Amino acid sequence: MSQSMSQAKERITAIDFARAFAIFGMIIVNYKLAMQAENGGPAWLQSIAGLFEGRASALFVVLAGIGVSLMTSKARNSMSGELIRQSRNSLYRRAAFLFIAGVLLLLMGWSADILHYYAVFMLVAAILITVSNNKKNRLSKQSNQRISFI
């Protein structure tokens, strides 16, 4: 295997660790909900769940965005039609899986599910892969010109 091929497949351990931490936090929070311990229950469960409540899902969403950015960076930088198609197809498959899993959880009575929202955001990300940032660059250049005159 060539060196560039092995580098392309390397995982970022810190992101994997943070993702595992977020999943652990969401399990604890959901366990608390499933055990109907939000207004009672053991003090240890209340304490641990309180640490993760709201934070775990937010961390997971941020990490999902970072993952999408890393996954599509080669396609976005090269603007290769084939790479863009592959990235979009991968995001479409992930979105379909998340949506189906979210709907199944809703049908089973789990009203705290957010997977279907992730699926919609993943579809939006797939569509926006090739949105140009020319306007952003143009605005940045204009503001830099204004600063240089001050």
Side-chain angles (χ1 to χ4, degrees):
M1 182 187 300
S2 71
Q3 184 179 2
S4 64
M5 185 68 137
S6 65
Q7 288 176 345
K9 298 294 180 185
E10 280 186 35
R11 302 213 33 112
I12 301 172
T13 307
I15 291 177
D16 288 340
F17 179 76
R19 189 177 291 124
F21 186 73
I23 290 171
F24 174 75
M26 288 189 294
I27 290 170
I28 294 295
V29 170
N30 285 314
Y31 178 77
K32 178 183 150 188
L33 292 173
M35 295 293 113
Q36 298 177 348
E38 57 267 354
N39 295 326
W44 66 269
L45 180 59
Q46 293 288 327
S47 303
I48 293 173
L51 291 172
F52 291 105
E53 212 149 7
R55 293 174 181 91
S57 58
L59 176 60
F60 195 76
V61 170
V62 168
L63 292 170
I66 291 170
V68 167
S69 178
L70 290 172
M71 185 177 86
T72 61
S73 65
K74 187 173 181 181
R76 286 181 290 112
N77 291 335
S78 71
M79 292 306 283
S80 161
E82 180 62 22
L83 288 176
I84 290 169
R85 187 188 61 73
Q86 289 173 357
S87 292
R88 280 191 173 139
N89 286 340
S90 178
L91 289 172
Y92 293 151
R93 283 191 303 275
R94 289 173 185 224
F97 172 78
L98 290 172
F99 188 78
I100 291 167
V103 168
L104 288 174
L105 285 171
L106 286 172
L107 292 174
M108 291 184 333
W110 188 255
S111 61
D113 175 61
I114 58 174
L115 294 178
H116 55 285
Y117 293 116
Y118 287 158
V120 172
F121 296 140
M122 192 108 15
L123 282 175
V124 170
I127 293 166
L128 296 177
I129 288 175
T130 57
V131 170
S132 174
N133 64 353
N134 287 337
K135 184 175 183 180
K136 179 182 166 189
N137 288 340
R138 191 171 51 242
L139 291 173
S140 176
K141 287 178 185 176
Q142 287 175 352
S143 65
N144 286 340
Q145 289 172 349
R146 288 184 193 137
I147 291 172
S148 65
F149 288 123
I150 297 177

